[in-house]
Amino acid sequence: MKRRNLFALFPLFAAAPALAQTAKPKPAAGKQRVIFQVSDNDPGKWQLALNNAKNVQVDLGKENVQIEIVAYGPGLNMMKAESKVAGGLAGALDDNVGLIACENTMHNTKVSRDEIYGGVAFVMAGVTHIMKRQQEGWAYIRP
């Protein structure tokens, strides 16, 4: 490329950082929103999800964050009434953490709503619910 042509491009290179700064999305006003995925049959991971939710509330303030924990596949066992983290489920519900069970998993594993911990909400498909939340701007975490 000729030297003269390089100088002609200089204004474009100089303006690039300013253009990149204006293209950044602005943070959403209002509450922070985060969704946690639980898809493992692992009580350690269930407890980690509950601990993460609590830590987010402590750090940001309960009033400043909306949290959901979605369980599907083998992780559905977290939301059962006899779950090894049932005490943690109670605490999460008391702290306004949304607990959600996947009805597709329930149907496929023949788990009835009566077997799910009281206060847990239901969605048809846990994966789809997470996808929709991400499209709405929710942060996604899989402990």
Side-chain angles (χ1 to χ4, degrees), residues 2-142:
K2 293 183 180 179
R3 186 180 293 238
R4 200 172 12 161
N5 290 343
L6 287 174
F7 287 115
L9 295 175
F10 180 75
L12 292 174
F13 293 124
L19 292 173
Q21 288 179 351
T22 59
K24 288 182 182 175
K26 294 180 181 177
K31 288 186 175 189
Q32 296 287 317
R33 300 171 300 173
V34 61
I35 191 161
F36 291 88
Q37 172 185 326
V38 175
S39 56
D40 295 310
N41 189 16
D42 179 351
K45 288 189 179 181
W46 306 344
Q47 189 60 56
L48 182 58
L50 292 166
N51 291 348
N52 288 166
K54 183 69 168 174
N55 291 341
V56 168
Q57 287 183 327
V58 168
D59 189 43
L60 299 177
K62 286 182 192 178
E63 67 282 353
N64 298 319
V65 64
Q66 186 176 353
I67 300 173
E68 292 181 349
I69 299 174
V70 179
Y72 67 89
L76 180 68
N77 290 326
M78 175 188 185
M79 300 296 176
K80 288 186 175 179
E82 75 276 358
S83 170
K84 291 183 179 179
V85 295
L89 298 178
L93 289 169
D94 288 345
D95 288 337
N96 294 318
V97 172
L99 302 177
I100 301 172
C102 172
E103 290 187 314
N104 281 341
T105 299
M106 292 171 61
H107 174 75
N108 291 334
T109 58
K110 298 183 180 16
V111 172
S112 71
R113 285 187 174 208
D114 293 339
E115 296 174 72
I116 300 297
Y117 191 86
V120 171
F122 302 92
V123 293
M124 183 57 68
V127 172
T128 305
H129 182 73
I130 291 170
M131 289 171 57
K132 289 177 182 178
R133 288 298 199 215
Q134 286 183 291
Q135 289 172 347
E136 295 168 356
W138 286 57
Y140 162 81
I141 298 173
R142 181 174 185 223

